[in-house]
Amino acid sequence: MSHPSAWQTHRQYAATAARWTADRWSKESDRRRTLRATRKPLVRDARAALAQAQATDPQKVTSLVHRAERELATAKRRVPDPMWLFASKAALVTAAAGYVGLPLVPGRVWMWAAVAVSVAAVGTILWALLHRPAASPIEPTAEERDLLKRLQPEHWREHAEQRGLAGTLTGRPRLTESGIVVAVRLDGQWTATKLRGSEDHIRALLGARTGLRFQIKAGKQGGWAELTLRTRSAADGDDLLWAPERRSLGIDTVTGEHVTVPLGERLLIAGRSGAGKSVASRPLLFDASEGDTNALVIIDLKRVEGRLWDHRARVASTPEDVIGVVDEVEAEMHDRLNVLPKGQDTWSPTPDRPRITVVVDEGAEVVTAADKVPFPEEDSDGKTKVRTRSALPGLESIARMGRAACIDLWWMTQKPTIGDGVPKQIAPQISTSICLAVRTPAEARVVLGEDAQAKGWNADELPAPGVALIRDGKRGPDPVKVRYMDKAVVIALPDQPIWSRTTMPTTVTAAPTLTLVKPTTSPVVASVDGTDARILDAIETAAAPVRQKDLAESTGLSKGTVSKAVKRLTDTGHITRQPDGGLTADKAA
């Protein structure tokens, strides 16, 4: 190797070694600085405990003072030296060892050691001249620079008592893609909940603007809290418009990951008026209506959002329609459960019998309007009576039992209180909660759990619209910016088959009080479809005239559904009502 090549190689080695050394120095220095900020307050507490022990037992009769001294010594040992002091001590030890041992080293070793030191020195000088430190990936704004200065432990300690925050101390703040994060040490009677109640004092101490959102939650260990100032979002710069290639629900503002909610979950979507529930649900409704094995049913008494999806979903917009579609879905659920193979936990969706997602848009309205709806029904004597019916029992049954039948209930409401917006029988069945901005912490607790406030699920502090918290047992309380799906985009989506029980195959269950005399369906049954065919088949295969109430028991359908089917079949001449109220099939029909 020539002298220039050797020199170039040595210089590269020296530059690499210098860069590695500088990186290690920087990382170790940061680590020690963080540990010192965390552990020095423990030394101060240990000194205070020792002073109190000495005042209590000045003669050292008990072990109180000795135990406090040991705890103080342990606390001191746990505080690492600053990097410069550690390096100075290491250099002194090395120099002392060299002074004692180097005179015994042979001359050849001296020569090579001198060459190595010279190369390292030259390499360090060249690296210092040529190296330009990489720019920080996150450049703080003017606002963030001011906040970072005021969050330093020195500034906090000086002003905390004046602002009613005595007994708290910050660690070293760090700037992340989602804002400024800092650990806060809590002394005395302070807790994360109490610190959260002192947000106004913190805002005053930092001089933060009123619109800046704070998030305070318990730290990773006792006696600590974590304060996050949402000065920025990890979703900034991302295109939040929905598109077929961007089908996620939204983007996590802390991690920047795309958030999805899989089908098969029982959802609660809540938020005050104007928070963006309809917009947030549109990507989910698209997934629920897309594909051959998915079917969507929308209950929307407001007649606004459901109208956008009527080319892809079964939409019920009147109380009578709501009760009718709930009856159909409930009957379909029971049919699937009756024929579910032994040992199989859930129904396997097929194009003929797909997964059904039932979406209740504004549950409070459904609870009020679709309750005690008058329905005329004929009794066994052929007399017409008006009975009131409610959609709520059927919806509660779907919520409790629908999962095994691959029928999922999604409940949306702007009044998330138990009993008003969320029925008591449905609330416990919810597996995933999507909460946009709500009015009060009480509403946030209803949607996200009783421990919502303690664990940082502060939906009452969310900006509206378009930001949500999603609690599914896997995610933390990180806000999610939901995608925006325009109404025109929904209208332009391709049509999908609309689910209806009359177009689905049904399983006929024989009435326990009837005697079946025919194993197959007659030609009369072939002329009608769905529920009507089921009713007609049960009548025709019976050995004697059938009572209407017996039909409801034998087919598993609701009384209202049976009554409507009987009226249609009577009007078309397929069945005849006898003077005693019994029903028989007209063979000539």
Side-chain angles (χ1 to χ4, degrees):
M1 182 182 293
S2 61
H3 289 292
S5 299
W7 173 251
Q8 180 69 20
T9 301
H10 288 312
R11 191 173 73 173
Q12 290 177 354
Y13 286 159
T16 302
R19 188 179 300 108
W20 181 85
T21 303
D23 291 341
R24 295 283 297 179
W25 178 285
S26 177
K27 291 179 181 178
E28 181 64 18
S29 180
D30 291 342
R31 187 185 74 85
R32 289 174 175 268
R33 187 182 303 113
T34 302
L35 288 176
R36 284 177 62 82
T38 302
R39 296 175 179 176
K40 283 180 69 176
L42 300 178
V43 177
R44 185 175 67 248
D45 292 349
R47 285 200 179 98
L50 176 59
Q52 184 177 0
Q54 290 172 343
T56 304
D57 185 14
Q59 302 299 325
K60 298 184 180 180
V61 177
T62 66
S63 62
L64 187 63
V65 175
H66 298 289
R67 185 165 60 251
E69 289 175 345
R70 288 196 302 270
E71 292 176 353
L72 176 59
T74 301
K76 287 181 177 179
R77 284 196 301 270
R78 294 189 64 199
V79 179
D81 294 328
M83 194 60 188
W84 65 268
L85 182 57
F86 175 78
S88 300
K89 289 181 179 180
L92 289 174
V93 172
T94 303
Y99 180 78
V100 174
L102 286 181
L104 305 177
V105 177
R108 179 173 295 181
V109 175
W110 268 104
M111 180 186 69
W112 286 110
V115 171
V117 170
S118 300
V119 171
V122 172
T124 302
I125 294 172
L126 291 175
W127 177 81
L129 293 175
L130 300 177
H131 177 71
R132 294 291 183 271
S136 173
I138 305 178
E139 187 67 25
T141 62
E143 178 190 29
E144 289 171 337
R145 282 194 292 269
D146 291 339
L147 292 172
L148 287 170
K149 290 178 182 177
R150 293 166 184 164
L151 282 170
Q152 295 297 328
E154 298 80 10
H155 184 276
W156 188 280
R157 185 185 297 109
E158 182 180 351
H159 298 87
E161 186 173 358
Q162 301 172 8
R163 294 295 183 180
L165 296 169
T168 63
L169 182 64
T170 56
R172 296 292 175 181
R174 65 184 188 277
L175 181 60
T176 68
E177 293 182 350
S178 60
I180 301 174
V181 181
V182 62
V184 182
R185 188 172 187 276
L186 307 175
D187 295 336
Q189 300 298 316
W190 282 99
T191 62
T193 303
K194 184 177 179 181
L195 185 66
R196 194 178 299 114
S198 302
E199 180 181 316
D200 292 340
H201 298 283
I202 299 175
R203 195 178 298 274
L205 191 154
L206 299 178
R209 54 186 168 86
T210 305
L212 180 61
R213 193 166 66 87
F214 286 9
Q215 181 179 352
I216 303 172
K217 61 181 181 179
K220 295 181 180 179
Q221 59 185 9
W224 287 86
E226 185 177 271
L227 169 63
T228 303
L229 281 64
R230 299 295 183 191
T231 55
R232 58 179 65 201
S233 167
D236 291 342
D238 287 320
D239 187 359
L240 289 171
L241 287 177
W242 183 91
E245 63 274 10
R246 296 190 297 271
R247 287 175 56 174
S248 62
L249 174 63
I251 299 177
D252 192 308
T253 60
V254 176
T255 63
E257 68 175 343
H258 293 259
V259 179
T260 58
V261 177
L263 294 177
E265 300 290 334
R266 288 158 292 179
L267 301 185
L268 171 60
I269 305 175
R272 67 172 183 258
S273 178
K277 293 186 302 300
S278 297
V279 174
S281 66
R282 287 171 187 166
L284 301 175
L285 297 181
F286 172 82
D287 291 338
S289 62
E290 184 72 4
D292 296 334
T293 58
N294 293 319
L296 180 62
V297 175
I298 298 178
I299 297 174
D300 180 19
L301 294 178
K302 297 185 299 182
R303 309 184 185 186
V304 177
E305 190 66 23
R307 190 177 296 133
L308 301 176
W309 297 89
D310 58 6
H311 60 300
R312 293 174 66 90
R314 172 87 175 271
V315 180
S317 54
T318 65
E320 293 78 11
D321 289 343
V322 171
I323 292 176
V325 76
V326 170
D327 285 345
E328 287 190 43
V329 174
E330 187 179 10
E332 176 70 15
M333 177 184 70
H334 287 297
D335 263 1
R336 295 184 183 187
L337 294 178
N338 288 336
V339 299
L340 188 67
K342 184 177 181 179
Q344 184 173 326
D345 295 332
T346 57
W347 181 266
S348 298
T350 63
D352 290 335
R353 305 188 86 165
R355 174 187 298 279
I356 303 174
T357 302
V358 181
V359 180
V360 178
D361 192 356
E362 191 41 60
E365 186 67 21
V366 172
V367 171
T368 303
D371 185 37
K372 297 181 180 180
V373 179
F375 271 86
E377 293 184 356
E378 292 185 5
D379 58 14
S380 59
D381 298 330
K383 297 180 180 180
T384 301
K385 294 184 178 180
V386 177
R387 300 179 182 177
T388 58
R389 301 194 56 214
S390 173
L392 189 56
L395 292 171
E396 291 174 342
S397 179
I398 293 170
R400 290 191 299 264
M401 303 172 58
R403 182 176 180 274
C406 216
I407 299 176
D408 308 312
L409 179 66
W410 293 0
W411 193 271
M412 300 170 59
T413 182
Q414 65 182 14
K415 192 176 183 182
T417 52
I418 295 294
D420 294 327
V422 186
K424 295 180 180 179
Q425 293 294 322
I426 293 178
Q429 310 303 325
I430 299 300
S431 59
T432 299
S433 298
I434 301 176
C435 191
L436 292 97
V438 294
R439 294 181 179 84
T440 64
E443 292 182 343
R445 288 195 297 271
V446 170
V447 180
L448 298 169
E450 288 299 326
D451 60 345
Q453 191 172 12
K455 294 191 175 181
W457 298 88
N458 302 318
D460 55 305
E461 300 177 4
L462 289 176
V467 181
L469 295 175
I470 303 174
R471 190 163 194 180
D472 56 2
K474 303 173 184 177
R475 293 182 46 79
D478 298 339
V480 175
K481 277 193 173 181
V482 298
R483 292 197 179 278
Y484 179 73
M485 192 174 185
D486 189 74
K487 296 179 181 179
V489 175
V490 177
I491 297 173
L493 291 174
D495 294 357
Q496 288 287 336
I498 307 302
W499 179 86
S500 175
R501 184 165 165 77
T502 58
T503 63
M504 298 293 152
T506 60
T507 302
V508 178
T509 305
T513 58
L514 303 179
T515 303
L516 300 181
V517 296
K518 295 183 180 180
T520 58
T521 303
S522 72
V524 174
V525 179
S527 63
V528 293
D529 296 322
T531 304
D532 293 356
R534 186 171 177 178
I535 297 295
L536 185 55
D537 185 51
I539 295 173
E540 190 178 23
T541 54
V546 185
R547 296 282 183 176
Q548 186 169 311
K549 63 178 181 178
D550 294 334
L551 286 175
E553 296 176 0
S554 63
T555 60
L557 299 173
S558 65
K559 293 181 180 179
T561 303
V562 171
S563 177
K564 293 178 182 178
V566 168
K567 186 177 186 306
R568 288 193 297 268
L569 293 171
T570 304
D571 293 341
T572 56
H574 285 84
I575 63 175
T576 303
R577 186 181 295 275
Q578 301 299 322
D580 61 351
L583 301 172
T584 58
D586 188 350
K587 306 296 183 179

